[in-house]
Structures are given as C-alpha cells and as structure tokens.
C-alpha cells in the first residue's frame, strides 16, 4: 500500500508528481533542499549572545506549513543530524558540542515546532491566514518555552547569567528580546505560505 507523506492541503501536496516513485524521489530532494534553506536562514544572523537573532524560526515555520508534518519534521531532523555530524549548518558552526550549548534547546525544539505547524497545514490551515498564524504563534511559544527551560538547566555557573536571578536573567537575555521579532517572522511566514498555496491551487 502506498504511503502518503503529504496532503492536498499543503503546497507540496498540490505540486508533487503523481507517480509514486517520482514522488518518493521528489520528497527526498525536498528534505535536502529544506535543510539547505534552513542553513541559509541560520547564516542570516545578528551574533547576539547567548542566542543569536536568525531567520531559522521563519524558515522552519514556512517549510513545515508548505510540506506538512511528515516531510516538515523529517526536514528539521535531517538538518539537526547534519549539524550533529559536524557540518557548519547552525548559526555559527556545528557539532555535538554546539547542540549541547545555550542554543541547543531552541534547535531541538524546531522538531515539535515543525510538527505543530505541519499538522495544522495538513488539516487545511494553509488556506486560512488567521488559522495558520495562530498555529505558528503557538508553535513558536513552544519553541521559546523549551529553549528557555534548556537555558535554565545550563544556567548554573554560566558567565552570561546573573546567578542571583537565573530565571529572570535567562529570560531577559535569551527570550524577551526576540518575542516581537519572532511574532513578525511568524506573520511573514503565514502570509508567504497562504499566498503561495492560493497560487498553487489555482494552477493545479
């Protein structure tokens, strides 16, 4: 029985070829292309410490919505595996030590972020800007929550955290400055995906 990796509610599902074999090859290529796009988004960054400002969350949100949860999460996992293997795909490098550092929680949280947004897209959110944006904001909040918890675990003894106020210091340095920017990135991602999806449906 054929395995369905996409749905007609996503950009990829609308545009992918009909042949099962061609579709499989297309999906593999899509995952690899997705990891390249996330890498490029990571390199567009402002090197703030401990967490740089990048376009990664925008790329993950847009790709997950465009691909659906299966291909979307597979793309993020492949990206993380590339980084863990030492490829310089993250904002300032790669390797297991990088994943264990301050940004590791945010990077790993891209997986559930892609799942939440991809599931919403599979259920038809790509045709509804408000629904898709809400899903992206919820997923982004999850990203921040998991990344923040990771920072709290690493916070004890870290030079960039005020040891007399670990929670407040970690929030002020690694979460608060990014909230508005990420909300804007989610809005731009939702507008981009719904716009492309509408065009793709018209041409299908």
């Amino acid at each position: 029985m054929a395995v369905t990796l996409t749905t007609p509610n996503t950009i990829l599902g609308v545009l992918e070829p009909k042949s099962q074999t061609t579709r499989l090859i297309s999906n593999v290529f899509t995952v690899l292309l997705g990891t390249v796009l996330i890498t490029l988004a990571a390199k567009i960054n402002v090197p703030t410490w401990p967490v740089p400002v990048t376009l990664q969350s925008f790329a993950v949100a847009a790709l997950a919505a465009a691909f659906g949860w299966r291909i979307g999460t597979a793309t993020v996992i492949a990206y993380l595996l590339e980084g863990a293997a030492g490829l310089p795909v993250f904002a300032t490098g790669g390797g297991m030590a990088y994943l264990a550092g301050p940004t590791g929680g945010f990077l790993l949280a891209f997986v559930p972020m892609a799942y939440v947004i991809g599931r919403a897209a599979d259920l038809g959110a790509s045709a509804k800007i408000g629904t898709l944006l809400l899903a992206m904001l919820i997923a982004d909040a999850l990203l921040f929550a998991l990344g923040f918890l990771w920072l709290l675990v690493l916070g004890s003894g870290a030079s960039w955290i005020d040891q007399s106020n670990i929670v407040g210091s970690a929030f002020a340095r690694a979460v608060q400055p990014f909230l508005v920017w990420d909300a804007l990135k989610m809005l731009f991602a939702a507008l981009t995906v719904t716009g492309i999806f509408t065009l793709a449906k018209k041409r299908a």
Side-chain angles (χ1 to χ4, degrees), residues 62-170:
L63 291 176
F67 297 167
W69 81 264
R70 293 178 179 85
I71 302 298
T73 54
T75 299
V76 173
I77 291 171
Y79 169 72
L80 294 175
L81 289 175
E82 290 171 356
L87 296 177
V89 297
F90 301 141
T92 57
M96 288 301 296
Y98 194 108
L99 274 176
T103 61
F106 293 96
L107 289 168
L108 295 174
F110 283 146
V111 176
M113 181 186 193
Y115 173 80
V116 170
I117 296 171
R119 286 288 290 183
D122 283 335
L123 293 173
S126 293
K128 306 169 185 175
I129 179 64
T131 303
L132 185 59
L133 177 58
L134 178 60
M136 288 183 174
L137 291 174
I138 291 173
D140 200 44
L142 178 62
L143 169 75
F144 275 112
L146 295 176
F148 180 61
L149 289 174
W150 180 279
L151 286 173
L152 292 184
V153 172
L154 297 181
S156 180
S159 61
W160 54 271
I161 284 186
D162 180 358
Q163 296 302 307
S164 65
N165 183 19
I166 292 178
V167 174
S169 180

Side-chain angles (χ1 to χ4, degrees), residues 6-200:
T6 60
T7 73
N9 292 325
T10 62
I11 295 170
L12 183 61
V14 172
L15 298 179
E16 72 178 356
K18 304 302 181 184
S19 165
Q20 185 68 22
T21 301
T22 307
R23 189 182 305 169
L24 178 60
I25 296 172
S26 174
N27 286 336
V28 172
F29 175 77
T30 298
V31 168
L32 294 177
L33 177 61
T35 66
V36 172
L37 293 176
I38 299 174
T39 299
L40 293 175
K43 300 306 180 183
I44 302 173
N45 71 81
V46 179
T48 54
W49 181 258
V51 180
V53 179
T54 76
L55 289 179
Q56 281 172 298
S57 58
F58 164 79
V60 170
L63 291 176
F67 297 167
W69 81 264
R70 293 178 179 85
I71 302 298
T73 54
T75 299
V76 173
I77 291 171
Y79 169 72
L80 294 175
L81 289 175
E82 290 171 356
L87 296 177
V89 297
F90 301 141
T92 57
M96 288 301 296
Y98 194 108
L99 274 176
T103 61
F106 293 96
L107 289 168
L108 295 174
F110 283 146
V111 176
M113 181 186 193
Y115 173 80
V116 170
I117 296 171
R119 286 288 290 183
D122 283 335
L123 293 173
S126 293
K128 306 169 185 175
I129 179 64
T131 303
L132 185 59
L133 177 58
L134 178 60
M136 288 183 174
L137 291 174
I138 291 173
D140 200 44
L142 178 62
L143 169 75
F144 275 112
L146 295 176
F148 180 61
L149 289 174
W150 180 279
L151 286 173
L152 292 184
V153 172
L154 297 181
S156 180
S159 61
W160 54 271
I161 284 186
D162 180 358
Q163 296 302 307
S164 65
N165 183 19
I166 292 178
V167 174
S169 180
F171 183 83
R173 293 290 301 277
V175 176
Q176 187 175 359
F178 305 96
L179 294 177
V180 173
W181 291 111
D182 259 53
L184 291 174
K185 283 186 280 185
M186 294 305 101
L187 175 60
F188 185 44
L191 288 170
T192 300
V193 171
T194 53
I196 295 175
F197 179 75
T198 300
L199 290 175

